[in-house]
PDB file of all heavy atoms in Angstrom:
ATOM      1  N   VAL A   1       0.873  -1.173   0.001  1.00  0.00           N
ATOM      2  CA  VAL A   1       0.012  -0.006   0.001  1.00  0.00           C
ATOM      3  C   VAL A   1       0.914   1.215  -0.005  1.00  0.00           C
ATOM      4  O   VAL A   1       1.777   1.342   0.864  1.00  0.00           O
ATOM      5  CB  VAL A   1      -0.906   0.023   1.258  1.00  0.00           C
ATOM      6  CG1 VAL A   1      -1.767   1.302   1.268  1.00  0.00           C
ATOM      7  CG2 VAL A   1      -1.829  -1.205   1.262  1.00  0.00           C
ATOM      8  N   PRO A   2       0.745   2.128  -0.957  1.00  0.00           N
ATOM      9  CA  PRO A   2       1.645   3.319  -1.036  1.00  0.00           C
ATOM     10  C   PRO A   2       1.296   4.337   0.061  1.00  0.00           C
ATOM     11  O   PRO A   2       0.628   5.347  -0.194  1.00  0.00           O
ATOM     12  CB  PRO A   2       1.320   3.871  -2.469  1.00  0.00           C
ATOM     13  CG  PRO A   2      -0.074   3.436  -2.709  1.00  0.00           C
ATOM     14  CD  PRO A   2      -0.240   2.082  -2.061  1.00  0.00           C
ATOM     15  N   LEU A   3       1.818   4.119   1.253  1.00  0.00           N
ATOM     16  CA  LEU A   3       1.443   4.955   2.382  1.00  0.00           C
ATOM     17  C   LEU A   3       1.866   6.458   2.192  1.00  0.00           C
ATOM     18  O   LEU A   3       1.236   7.322   2.742  1.00  0.00           O
ATOM     19  CB  LEU A   3       2.123   4.422   3.663  1.00  0.00           C
ATOM     20  CG  LEU A   3       1.596   3.078   4.190  1.00  0.00           C
ATOM     21  CD1 LEU A   3       2.245   2.736   5.504  1.00  0.00           C
ATOM     22  CD2 LEU A   3       0.055   3.116   4.324  1.00  0.00           C
ATOM     23  N   SER A   4       2.867   6.695   1.381  1.00  0.00           N
ATOM     24  CA  SER A   4       3.331   8.045   1.185  1.00  0.00           C
ATOM     25  C   SER A   4       2.292   8.925   0.501  1.00  0.00           C
ATOM     26  O   SER A   4       2.302  10.143   0.622  1.00  0.00           O
ATOM     27  CB  SER A   4       4.610   8.074   0.352  1.00  0.00           C
ATOM     28  OG  SER A   4       4.385   7.500  -0.931  1.00  0.00           O
ATOM     29  N   SER A   5       1.303   8.299  -0.117  1.00  0.00           N
ATOM     30  CA  SER A   5       0.235   9.046  -0.766  1.00  0.00           C
ATOM     31  C   SER A   5      -1.081   8.892  -0.016  1.00  0.00           C
ATOM     32  O   SER A   5      -2.132   9.301  -0.500  1.00  0.00           O
ATOM     33  CB  SER A   5       0.072   8.605  -2.211  1.00  0.00           C
ATOM     34  OG  SER A   5      -0.267   7.221  -2.296  1.00  0.00           O
ATOM     35  N   GLU A   6      -1.033   8.253   1.183  1.00  0.00           N
ATOM     36  CA  GLU A   6      -2.255   8.021   1.941  1.00  0.00           C
ATOM     37  C   GLU A   6      -2.428   9.058   3.063  1.00  0.00           C
ATOM     38  O   GLU A   6      -1.426   9.710   3.491  1.00  0.00           O
ATOM     39  CB  GLU A   6      -2.166   6.646   2.621  1.00  0.00           C
ATOM     40  CG  GLU A   6      -1.940   5.474   1.674  1.00  0.00           C
ATOM     41  CD  GLU A   6      -3.187   5.148   0.844  1.00  0.00           C
ATOM     42  OE1 GLU A   6      -4.301   5.160   1.383  1.00  0.00           O
ATOM     43  OE2 GLU A   6      -3.017   4.873  -0.364  1.00  0.00           O
ATOM     44  N   THR A   7      -3.661   9.194   3.515  1.00  0.00           N
ATOM     45  CA  THR A   7      -4.000  10.114   4.602  1.00  0.00           C
ATOM     46  C   THR A   7      -4.512   9.345   5.785  1.00  0.00           C
ATOM     47  O   THR A   7      -5.339   8.435   5.634  1.00  0.00           O
ATOM     48  CB  THR A   7      -5.044  11.153   4.165  1.00  0.00           C
ATOM     49  OG1 THR A   7      -4.555  11.908   3.088  1.00  0.00           O
ATOM     50  CG2 THR A   7      -5.404  12.073   5.319  1.00  0.00           C
ATOM     51  N   ILE A   8      -4.046   9.681   6.989  1.00  0.00           N
ATOM     52  CA  ILE A   8      -4.598   9.096   8.212  1.00  0.00           C
ATOM     53  C   ILE A   8      -5.089  10.222   9.140  1.00  0.00           C
ATOM     54  O   ILE A   8      -4.418  11.235   9.272  1.00  0.00           O
ATOM     55  CB  ILE A   8      -3.569   8.149   8.922  1.00  0.00           C
ATOM     56  CG1 ILE A   8      -4.221   7.513  10.126  1.00  0.00           C
ATOM     57  CG2 ILE A   8      -2.316   8.943   9.312  1.00  0.00           C
ATOM     58  CD1 ILE A   8      -3.379   6.439  10.798  1.00  0.00           C
ATOM     59  N   PHE A   9      -6.297  10.019   9.666  1.00  0.00           N
ATOM     60  CA  PHE A   9      -6.869  10.955  10.629  1.00  0.00           C
ATOM     61  C   PHE A   9      -6.737  10.345  12.025  1.00  0.00           C
ATOM     62  O   PHE A   9      -7.113   9.194  12.210  1.00  0.00           O
ATOM     63  CB  PHE A   9      -8.368  11.219  10.299  1.00  0.00           C
ATOM     64  CG  PHE A   9      -8.540  11.857   8.951  1.00  0.00           C
ATOM     65  CD1 PHE A   9      -8.795  11.068   7.804  1.00  0.00           C
ATOM     66  CD2 PHE A   9      -8.518  13.234   8.791  1.00  0.00           C
ATOM     67  CE1 PHE A   9      -8.979  11.628   6.589  1.00  0.00           C
ATOM     68  CE2 PHE A   9      -8.766  13.826   7.530  1.00  0.00           C
ATOM     69  CZ  PHE A   9      -8.980  13.019   6.426  1.00  0.00           C
ATOM     70  N   VAL A  10      -6.239  11.125  12.953  1.00  0.00           N
ATOM     71  CA  VAL A  10      -5.992  10.638  14.313  1.00  0.00           C
ATOM     72  C   VAL A  10      -6.616  11.583  15.343  1.00  0.00           C
ATOM     73  O   VAL A  10      -6.907  12.716  15.018  1.00  0.00           O
ATOM     74  CB  VAL A  10      -4.478  10.513  14.581  1.00  0.00           C
ATOM     75  CG1 VAL A  10      -3.831   9.574  13.542  1.00  0.00           C
ATOM     76  CG2 VAL A  10      -3.788  11.882  14.543  1.00  0.00           C
ATOM     77  N   PRO A  11      -6.834  11.097  16.559  1.00  0.00           N
ATOM     78  CA  PRO A  11      -7.496  11.931  17.597  1.00  0.00           C
ATOM     79  C   PRO A  11      -6.688  13.192  17.927  1.00  0.00           C
ATOM     80  O   PRO A  11      -5.448  13.193  17.809  1.00  0.00           O
ATOM     81  CB  PRO A  11      -7.570  11.019  18.790  1.00  0.00           C
ATOM     82  CG  PRO A  11      -7.539   9.652  18.241  1.00  0.00           C
ATOM     83  CD  PRO A  11      -6.617   9.722  17.052  1.00  0.00           C
ATOM     84  N   ALA A  12      -7.394  14.246  18.330  1.00  0.00           N
ATOM     85  CA  ALA A  12      -6.721  15.453  18.730  1.00  0.00           C
ATOM     86  C   ALA A  12      -5.728  15.217  19.848  1.00  0.00           C
ATOM     87  O   ALA A  12      -6.062  14.455  20.802  1.00  0.00           O
ATOM     88  CB  ALA A  12      -7.736  16.505  19.150  1.00  0.00           C
ATOM     89  N   GLY A  13      -4.591  15.735  19.739  1.00  0.00           N
ATOM     90  CA  GLY A  13      -3.571  15.572  20.780  1.00  0.00           C
ATOM     91  C   GLY A  13      -2.658  14.375  20.569  1.00  0.00           C
ATOM     92  O   GLY A  13      -1.722  14.197  21.380  1.00  0.00           O
ATOM     93  N   SER A  14      -2.905  13.595  19.539  1.00  0.00           N
ATOM     94  CA  SER A  14      -2.079  12.388  19.343  1.00  0.00           C
ATOM     95  C   SER A  14      -1.204  12.479  18.082  1.00  0.00           C
ATOM     96  O   SER A  14      -0.617  11.458  17.671  1.00  0.00           O
ATOM     97  CB  SER A  14      -2.965  11.145  19.272  1.00  0.00           C
ATOM     98  OG  SER A  14      -3.884  11.257  18.193  1.00  0.00           O
ATOM     99  N   LEU A  15      -1.153  13.600  17.495  1.00  0.00           N
ATOM    100  CA  LEU A  15      -0.360  13.792  16.223  1.00  0.00           C
ATOM    101  C   LEU A  15       1.084  13.402  16.449  1.00  0.00           C
ATOM    102  O   LEU A  15       1.646  12.580  15.624  1.00  0.00           O
ATOM    103  CB  LEU A  15      -0.456  15.226  15.750  1.00  0.00           C
ATOM    104  CG  LEU A  15       0.297  15.557  14.478  1.00  0.00           C
ATOM    105  CD1 LEU A  15      -0.210  14.740  13.293  1.00  0.00           C
ATOM    106  CD2 LEU A  15       0.211  17.047  14.167  1.00  0.00           C
ATOM    107  N   ALA A  16       1.675  13.891  17.494  1.00  0.00           N
ATOM    108  CA  ALA A  16       3.109  13.582  17.717  1.00  0.00           C
ATOM    109  C   ALA A  16       3.377  12.074  17.920  1.00  0.00           C
ATOM    110  O   ALA A  16       4.376  11.567  17.466  1.00  0.00           O
ATOM    111  CB  ALA A  16       3.611  14.370  18.943  1.00  0.00           C
ATOM    112  N   ALA A  17       2.430  11.434  18.594  1.00  0.00           N
ATOM    113  CA  ALA A  17       2.566  10.008  18.844  1.00  0.00           C
ATOM    114  C   ALA A  17       2.561   9.210  17.549  1.00  0.00           C
ATOM    115  O   ALA A  17       3.386   8.284  17.375  1.00  0.00           O
ATOM    116  CB  ALA A  17       1.446   9.503  19.769  1.00  0.00           C
ATOM    117  N   TYR A  18       1.699   9.591  16.627  1.00  0.00           N
ATOM    118  CA  TYR A  18       1.620   8.894  15.355  1.00  0.00           C
ATOM    119  C   TYR A  18       2.796   9.207  14.468  1.00  0.00           C
ATOM    120  O   TYR A  18       3.328   8.376  13.718  1.00  0.00           O
ATOM    121  CB  TYR A  18       0.300   9.195  14.639  1.00  0.00           C
ATOM    122  CG  TYR A  18      -0.873   8.390  15.085  1.00  0.00           C
ATOM    123  CD1 TYR A  18      -1.610   8.754  16.245  1.00  0.00           C
ATOM    124  CD2 TYR A  18      -1.214   7.209  14.438  1.00  0.00           C
ATOM    125  CE1 TYR A  18      -2.651   7.949  16.683  1.00  0.00           C
ATOM    126  CE2 TYR A  18      -2.276   6.379  14.878  1.00  0.00           C
ATOM    127  CZ  TYR A  18      -2.971   6.799  16.002  1.00  0.00           C
ATOM    128  OH  TYR A  18      -4.003   5.992  16.459  1.00  0.00           O
ATOM    129  N   GLN A  19       3.298  10.474  14.561  1.00  0.00           N
ATOM    130  CA  GLN A  19       4.463  10.855  13.780  1.00  0.00           C
ATOM    131  C   GLN A  19       5.718  10.105  14.216  1.00  0.00           C
ATOM    132  O   GLN A  19       6.679  10.016  13.437  1.00  0.00           O
ATOM    133  CB  GLN A  19       4.679  12.382  13.909  1.00  0.00           C
ATOM    134  CG  GLN A  19       3.629  13.186  13.135  1.00  0.00           C
ATOM    135  CD  GLN A  19       3.778  14.668  13.376  1.00  0.00           C
ATOM    136  OE1 GLN A  19       4.262  15.110  14.448  1.00  0.00           O
ATOM    137  NE2 GLN A  19       3.384  15.481  12.410  1.00  0.00           N
ATOM    138  N   ALA A  20       5.685   9.603  15.435  1.00  0.00           N
ATOM    139  CA  ALA A  20       6.834   8.896  15.981  1.00  0.00           C
ATOM    140  C   ALA A  20       6.699   7.378  15.955  1.00  0.00           C
ATOM    141  O   ALA A  20       7.664   6.624  16.178  1.00  0.00           O
ATOM    142  CB  ALA A  20       7.112   9.350  17.428  1.00  0.00           C
ATOM    143  N   ALA A  21       5.494   6.887  15.630  1.00  0.00           N
ATOM    144  CA  ALA A  21       5.228   5.443  15.698  1.00  0.00           C
ATOM    145  C   ALA A  21       5.610   4.728  14.404  1.00  0.00           C
ATOM    146  O   ALA A  21       5.340   5.230  13.318  1.00  0.00           O
ATOM    147  CB  ALA A  21       3.740   5.213  15.990  1.00  0.00           C
ATOM    148  N   ASP A  22       6.219   3.586  14.549  1.00  0.00           N
ATOM    149  CA  ASP A  22       6.631   2.796  13.376  1.00  0.00           C
ATOM    150  C   ASP A  22       5.432   2.529  12.495  1.00  0.00           C
ATOM    151  O   ASP A  22       4.325   2.259  12.996  1.00  0.00           O
ATOM    152  CB  ASP A  22       7.260   1.459  13.829  1.00  0.00           C
ATOM    153  CG  ASP A  22       8.616   1.629  14.405  1.00  0.00           C
ATOM    154  OD1 ASP A  22       9.230   2.675  14.174  1.00  0.00           O
ATOM    155  OD2 ASP A  22       9.085   0.681  15.084  1.00  0.00           O
ATOM    156  N   VAL A  23       5.608   2.593  11.212  1.00  0.00           N
ATOM    157  CA  VAL A  23       4.596   2.372  10.140  1.00  0.00           C
ATOM    158  C   VAL A  23       3.593   3.527  10.073  1.00  0.00           C
ATOM    159  O   VAL A  23       3.397   4.105   8.966  1.00  0.00           O
ATOM    160  CB  VAL A  23       3.865   1.049  10.301  1.00  0.00           C
ATOM    161  CG1 VAL A  23       2.928   0.781   9.131  1.00  0.00           C
ATOM    162  CG2 VAL A  23       4.847  -0.145  10.399  1.00  0.00           C
ATOM    163  N   TRP A  24       2.969   3.877  11.188  1.00  0.00           N
ATOM    164  CA  TRP A  24       2.008   4.948  11.140  1.00  0.00           C
ATOM    165  C   TRP A  24       2.633   6.270  10.669  1.00  0.00           C
ATOM    166  O   TRP A  24       2.026   7.076   9.957  1.00  0.00           O
ATOM    167  CB  TRP A  24       1.350   5.202  12.508  1.00  0.00           C
ATOM    168  CG  TRP A  24       0.639   3.992  13.059  1.00  0.00           C
ATOM    169  CD1 TRP A  24       0.983   3.231  14.135  1.00  0.00           C
ATOM    170  CD2 TRP A  24      -0.580   3.409  12.559  1.00  0.00           C
ATOM    171  NE1 TRP A  24       0.079   2.220  14.347  1.00  0.00           N
ATOM    172  CE2 TRP A  24      -0.897   2.297  13.380  1.00  0.00           C
ATOM    173  CE3 TRP A  24      -1.431   3.687  11.474  1.00  0.00           C
ATOM    174  CZ2 TRP A  24      -2.008   1.479  13.154  1.00  0.00           C
ATOM    175  CZ3 TRP A  24      -2.564   2.877  11.285  1.00  0.00           C
ATOM    176  CH2 TRP A  24      -2.834   1.785  12.097  1.00  0.00           C
ATOM    177  N   LYS A  25       3.924   6.435  11.037  1.00  0.00           N
ATOM    178  CA  LYS A  25       4.636   7.671  10.623  1.00  0.00           C
ATOM    179  C   LYS A  25       4.887   7.722   9.147  1.00  0.00           C
ATOM    180  O   LYS A  25       5.240   8.788   8.613  1.00  0.00           O
ATOM    181  CB  LYS A  25       5.913   7.806  11.399  1.00  0.00           C
ATOM    182  CG  LYS A  25       6.946   6.684  11.050  1.00  0.00           C
ATOM    183  CD  LYS A  25       8.208   6.813  11.851  1.00  0.00           C
ATOM    184  CE  LYS A  25       9.237   5.722  11.499  1.00  0.00           C
ATOM    185  NZ  LYS A  25      10.441   5.815  12.329  1.00  0.00           N
ATOM    186  N   ASP A  26       4.707   6.589   8.451  1.00  0.00           N
ATOM    187  CA  ASP A  26       4.983   6.538   7.021  1.00  0.00           C
ATOM    188  C   ASP A  26       3.845   7.052   6.147  1.00  0.00           C
ATOM    189  O   ASP A  26       3.978   7.197   4.908  1.00  0.00           O
ATOM    190  CB  ASP A  26       5.309   5.092   6.605  1.00  0.00           C
ATOM    191  CG  ASP A  26       6.585   4.602   7.280  1.00  0.00           C
ATOM    192  OD1 ASP A  26       7.474   5.418   7.586  1.00  0.00           O
ATOM    193  OD2 ASP A  26       6.667   3.367   7.504  1.00  0.00           O
ATOM    194  N   PHE A  27       2.690   7.331   6.766  1.00  0.00           N
ATOM    195  CA  PHE A  27       1.573   7.946   5.999  1.00  0.00           C
ATOM    196  C   PHE A  27       2.015   9.330   5.513  1.00  0.00           C
ATOM    197  O   PHE A  27       2.584  10.094   6.264  1.00  0.00           O
ATOM    198  CB  PHE A  27       0.329   8.063   6.887  1.00  0.00           C
ATOM    199  CG  PHE A  27      -0.492   6.796   6.965  1.00  0.00           C
ATOM    200  CD1 PHE A  27      -0.140   5.742   7.762  1.00  0.00           C
ATOM    201  CD2 PHE A  27      -1.650   6.673   6.177  1.00  0.00           C
ATOM    202  CE1 PHE A  27      -0.895   4.576   7.820  1.00  0.00           C
ATOM    203  CE2 PHE A  27      -2.425   5.531   6.211  1.00  0.00           C
ATOM    204  CZ  PHE A  27      -2.050   4.477   7.031  1.00  0.00           C
ATOM    205  N   GLY A  28       1.676   9.618   4.264  1.00  0.00           N
ATOM    206  CA  GLY A  28       2.077  10.898   3.690  1.00  0.00           C
ATOM    207  C   GLY A  28       1.464  12.079   4.366  1.00  0.00           C
ATOM    208  O   GLY A  28       2.115  13.130   4.509  1.00  0.00           O
ATOM    209  N   THR A  29       0.216  11.903   4.852  1.00  0.00           N
ATOM    210  CA  THR A  29      -0.465  13.037   5.530  1.00  0.00           C
ATOM    211  C   THR A  29      -1.081  12.499   6.805  1.00  0.00           C
ATOM    212  O   THR A  29      -1.807  11.517   6.803  1.00  0.00           O
ATOM    213  CB  THR A  29      -1.593  13.630   4.642  1.00  0.00           C
ATOM    214  OG1 THR A  29      -1.037  14.049   3.387  1.00  0.00           O
ATOM    215  CG2 THR A  29      -2.259  14.783   5.341  1.00  0.00           C
ATOM    216  N   ILE A  30      -0.760  13.142   7.923  1.00  0.00           N
ATOM    217  CA  ILE A  30      -1.347  12.773   9.210  1.00  0.00           C
ATOM    218  C   ILE A  30      -2.042  13.994   9.761  1.00  0.00           C
ATOM    219  O   ILE A  30      -1.429  15.037   9.974  1.00  0.00           O
ATOM    220  CB  ILE A  30      -0.246  12.306  10.238  1.00  0.00           C
ATOM    221  CG1 ILE A  30       0.576  11.165   9.647  1.00  0.00           C
ATOM    222  CG2 ILE A  30      -0.885  11.906  11.534  1.00  0.00           C
ATOM    223  CD1 ILE A  30       1.729  10.703  10.543  1.00  0.00           C
ATOM    224  N   LEU A  31      -3.354  13.880   9.947  1.00  0.00           N
ATOM    225  CA  LEU A  31      -4.165  15.015  10.387  1.00  0.00           C
ATOM    226  C   LEU A  31      -4.896  14.718  11.686  1.00  0.00           C
ATOM    227  O   LEU A  31      -5.410  13.587  11.870  1.00  0.00           O
ATOM    228  CB  LEU A  31      -5.198  15.358   9.312  1.00  0.00           C
ATOM    229  CG  LEU A  31      -4.652  15.783   7.925  1.00  0.00           C
ATOM    230  CD1 LEU A  31      -5.821  15.985   6.940  1.00  0.00           C
ATOM    231  CD2 LEU A  31      -3.828  17.047   8.033  1.00  0.00           C
ATOM    232  N   GLU A  32      -4.937  15.682  12.595  1.00  0.00           N
ATOM    233  CA  GLU A  32      -5.675  15.490  13.810  1.00  0.00           C
ATOM    234  C   GLU A  32      -7.149  15.820  13.575  1.00  0.00           C
ATOM    235  O   GLU A  32      -7.503  16.665  12.750  1.00  0.00           O
ATOM    236  CB  GLU A  32      -5.158  16.433  14.916  1.00  0.00           C
ATOM    237  CG  GLU A  32      -3.869  15.994  15.529  1.00  0.00           C
ATOM    238  CD  GLU A  32      -3.498  16.805  16.761  1.00  0.00           C
ATOM    239  OE1 GLU A  32      -4.158  17.835  17.006  1.00  0.00           O
ATOM    240  OE2 GLU A  32      -2.594  16.400  17.498  1.00  0.00           O
ATOM    241  N   ILE A  33      -7.984  15.149  14.340  1.00  0.00           N
ATOM    242  CA  ILE A  33      -9.431  15.431  14.284  1.00  0.00           C
ATOM    243  C   ILE A  33      -9.921  15.704  15.709  1.00  0.00           C
ATOM    244  O   ILE A  33      -9.282  15.326  16.685  1.00  0.00           O
ATOM    245  CB  ILE A  33     -10.236  14.227  13.711  1.00  0.00           C
ATOM    246  CG1 ILE A  33      -9.934  12.955  14.485  1.00  0.00           C
ATOM    247  CG2 ILE A  33      -9.899  14.022  12.229  1.00  0.00           C
ATOM    248  CD1 ILE A  33     -10.725  11.797  14.015  1.00  0.00           C
ATOM    249  N   GLY A  34     -11.054  16.403  15.802  1.00  0.00           N
ATOM    250  CA  GLY A  34     -11.610  16.648  17.112  1.00  0.00           C
ATOM    251  C   GLY A  34     -12.793  15.751  17.361  1.00  0.00           C
ATOM    252  O   GLY A  34     -12.879  14.629  16.894  1.00  0.00           O
ATOM    253  N   ALA A  35     -13.768  16.286  18.110  1.00  0.00           N
ATOM    254  CA  ALA A  35     -14.964  15.477  18.428  1.00  0.00           C
ATOM    255  C   ALA A  35     -15.778  15.188  17.154  1.00  0.00           C
ATOM    256  O   ALA A  35     -16.461  14.189  17.085  1.00  0.00           O
ATOM    257  CB  ALA A  35     -15.789  16.227  19.435  1.00  0.00           C
ATOM    258  N   THR A  36     -15.691  16.099  16.158  1.00  0.00           N
ATOM    259  CA  THR A  36     -16.424  15.902  14.924  1.00  0.00           C
ATOM    260  C   THR A  36     -15.545  15.144  13.930  1.00  0.00           C
ATOM    261  O   THR A  36     -14.495  15.603  13.576  1.00  0.00           O
ATOM    262  CB  THR A  36     -16.844  17.244  14.289  1.00  0.00           C
ATOM    263  OG1 THR A  36     -17.638  17.933  15.245  1.00  0.00           O
ATOM    264  CG2 THR A  36     -17.624  17.011  13.023  1.00  0.00           C
ATOM    265  N   ILE A  37     -16.025  14.009  13.500  1.00  0.00           N
ATOM    266  CA  ILE A  37     -15.249  13.165  12.555  1.00  0.00           C
ATOM    267  C   ILE A  37     -15.359  13.739  11.190  1.00  0.00           C
ATOM    268  O   ILE A  37     -16.454  14.135  10.723  1.00  0.00           O
ATOM    269  CB  ILE A  37     -15.773  11.696  12.572  1.00  0.00           C
ATOM    270  CG1 ILE A  37     -15.815  11.169  14.039  1.00  0.00           C
ATOM    271  CG2 ILE A  37     -14.899  10.812  11.733  1.00  0.00           C
ATOM    272  CD1 ILE A  37     -14.458  11.229  14.737  1.00  0.00           C
ATOM    273  N   PRO A  38     -14.267  13.810  10.405  1.00  0.00           N
ATOM    274  CA  PRO A  38     -14.311  14.381   9.091  1.00  0.00           C
ATOM    275  C   PRO A  38     -15.086  13.554   8.083  1.00  0.00           C
ATOM    276  O   PRO A  38     -15.456  12.402   8.368  1.00  0.00           O
ATOM    277  CB  PRO A  38     -12.827  14.463   8.684  1.00  0.00           C
ATOM    278  CG  PRO A  38     -12.205  13.370   9.463  1.00  0.00           C
ATOM    279  CD  PRO A  38     -12.924  13.351  10.793  1.00  0.00           C
ATOM    280  N   THR A  39     -15.348  14.112   6.949  1.00  0.00           N
ATOM    281  CA  THR A  39     -16.127  13.479   5.895  1.00  0.00           C
ATOM    282  C   THR A  39     -15.707  12.029   5.594  1.00  0.00           C
ATOM    283  O   THR A  39     -16.576  11.167   5.381  1.00  0.00           O
ATOM    284  CB  THR A  39     -16.095  14.275   4.611  1.00  0.00           C
ATOM    285  OG1 THR A  39     -16.611  15.569   4.866  1.00  0.00           O
ATOM    286  CG2 THR A  39     -16.920  13.631   3.512  1.00  0.00           C
ATOM    287  N   PRO A  40     -14.393  11.663   5.529  1.00  0.00           N
ATOM    288  CA  PRO A  40     -14.024  10.297   5.190  1.00  0.00           C
ATOM    289  C   PRO A  40     -14.586   9.236   6.103  1.00  0.00           C
ATOM    290  O   PRO A  40     -14.620   8.076   5.727  1.00  0.00           O
ATOM    291  CB  PRO A  40     -12.468  10.339   5.293  1.00  0.00           C
ATOM    292  CG  PRO A  40     -12.134  11.747   4.994  1.00  0.00           C
ATOM    293  CD  PRO A  40     -13.228  12.528   5.638  1.00  0.00           C
ATOM    294  N   SER A  41     -15.127   9.590   7.256  1.00  0.00           N
ATOM    295  CA  SER A  41     -15.650   8.581   8.157  1.00  0.00           C
ATOM    296  C   SER A  41     -17.093   8.279   7.919  1.00  0.00           C
ATOM    297  O   SER A  41     -17.723   7.486   8.609  1.00  0.00           O
ATOM    298  CB  SER A  41     -15.483   8.994   9.615  1.00  0.00           C
ATOM    299  OG  SER A  41     -16.377  10.072   9.955  1.00  0.00           O
TER     300      SER A  41
END
């Protein structure tokens, strides 16, 4: 799966954790979300 062109949405406040985590950090775009889930969900 070409993760460099993939987007992952993560809970607010956890951006740094995902940016440092093996494999998850390989997603091309990592975005935080709040209580309202974005359209992709």
